[in-house]
Amino acid sequence: MKLLLIEDEPAVVSVITRGLTEAGYEISVAPDGNSGLEMALNNPSFRLIILDVMLPGMNGIEVCRSLRKSQVDTPILMLTALGTTENIVMGLDSGADDYLLKPFKLQELEARIRSLMRRKTGNTEPVAPAAAPSPAILSLADLSLNTDTKTATRMGKNIQLTATEYRLLEFLLKNPRKVLSRLEILEHVWGIEFNMNTKVVDVYINYLRKKINKPDAAELIHTVVGLGYMLKETKLDEDSH
């Protein structure tokens, strides 16, 4: 499997290249954002991109945004020493699929790579029993999600979702009227090995609320204080939280 590593720290490059090569991966390295972007755009054979945030030239956020703007859907794993919720959300909002904080263990990096590959190929554990096929349309009240076309509507109007928002809404719709903890949401939306501050879940729940809320329509995503979140129908005169 061919991977692209965009990283300017020689010590980090050495550890990752040696470790992943021994694990059977074929690694190409770009030492700055500009060359990394060019390599990613011109080499569709890369199965995954490991992208540092702090890079000479274009930074990792800019590289990621440029790749997504160019319709490159290769999974992107960001590396950074900046671990605040704001920085993590910024990386994910730019189009990254996962976020790994420095310093990290090589075993954790390999676990993240495997998780992203499973997510890309759809080889993940289903929420419903394996014998029951997932419906193409998931819905609750006037909210619908087409899992074939990856499109969402509420009251017949289209809702533009990012990839992360889509996965979050899909998970909520597959588990209606259930209290879902933040850790449970992290595991299913970002991957079982994903290890991140659970505040990121709150940020993305708020993003989703703003997009699916409509004037004169009932709130569907509810906060269950101290436990997590629940997707359920409610009347307009009920408490929205």
Side-chain angles (χ1 to χ4, degrees):
M1 182 187 298
K2 294 184 178 180
L3 307 183
L4 174 61
L5 172 61
I6 308 176
E7 170 65 68
D8 65 317
E9 295 183 43
V12 176
V13 171
S14 177
V15 169
I16 292 178
T17 302
R18 183 174 64 253
L20 294 185
T21 299
E22 290 176 356
Y25 297 99
E26 182 180 337
I27 312 298
S28 296
V29 179
D32 58 72
N34 297 88
S35 62
L37 176 61
E38 183 177 358
M39 289 175 67
L41 290 174
N42 295 327
N43 293 276
S45 61
F46 291 125
R47 298 286 303 281
L48 183 138
I49 298 169
I50 302 172
L51 175 62
D52 189 32
V53 171
M54 303 300 292
L55 292 167
M58 295 180 71
N59 64 40
I61 300 294
E62 294 169 327
V63 171
C64 191
R65 285 175 178 160
S66 296
L67 289 173
R68 295 313 188 213
K69 188 175 181 180
S70 298
Q71 305 301 312
V72 175
D73 64 354
T74 306
I76 296 175
L77 171 59
M78 277 195 167
L79 305 178
T80 185
L82 306 174
T84 66
T85 301
E86 292 76 12
N87 285 313
I88 292 172
V89 170
M90 183 184 298
L92 295 172
D93 280 352
S94 70
D97 298 276
D98 202 344
Y99 205 96
L100 185 57
L101 297 180
K102 296 179 178 179
F104 54 84
K105 295 182 179 179
L106 188 62
Q107 293 92 329
E108 184 177 8
L109 175 61
E110 291 181 37
R112 299 295 183 89
I113 292 172
R114 290 193 298 269
S115 178
L116 285 174
M117 289 296 94
R118 287 198 301 270
R119 186 190 302 171
K120 178 69 174 178
T121 60
N123 184 21
T124 55
E125 291 294 323
V127 175
S134 299
I137 303 294
L138 300 171
S139 62
L140 183 79
D142 50 12
L143 175 66
S144 295
L145 185 72
N146 188 314
T147 59
D148 288 336
T149 62
K150 311 297 184 186
T151 55
T153 61
R154 186 169 191 196
M155 300 174 69
K157 295 182 179 180
N158 290 331
I159 302 169
Q160 297 297 319
L161 299 175
T162 66
T164 303
E165 291 165 352
Y166 169 84
R167 293 195 301 271
L168 175 57
L169 181 56
E170 182 182 34
F171 182 58
L172 293 173
L173 281 168
K174 284 183 175 180
N175 294 274
R177 307 171 199 91
K178 295 180 183 177
V179 177
L180 302 172
S181 71
R182 289 168 175 82
L183 281 176
E184 193 174 2
I185 293 172
L186 275 178
E187 290 176 354
H188 285 84
V189 175
W190 279 274
I192 192 68
E193 294 93 356
F194 202 79
N195 183 15
M196 173 189 289
N197 191 318
T198 55
K199 289 182 180 178
V200 172
V201 173
D202 300 332
V203 172
Y204 273 89
I205 286 288
N206 287 332
Y207 283 173
L208 201 54
R209 272 182 170 145
K210 290 176 182 177
K211 290 191 175 184
I212 71 172
N213 281 352
K214 300 292 180 183
D216 302 321
E219 178 73 45
L220 295 179
I221 301 177
H222 301 264
T223 301
V224 183
V225 178
L227 296 176
Y229 295 99
M230 178 189 290
L231 185 74
K232 69 172 184 177
E233 312 92 328
T234 185
K235 297 178 181 179
L236 287 174
D237 57 354
E238 289 185 20
D239 183 1
S240 63
H241 296 296

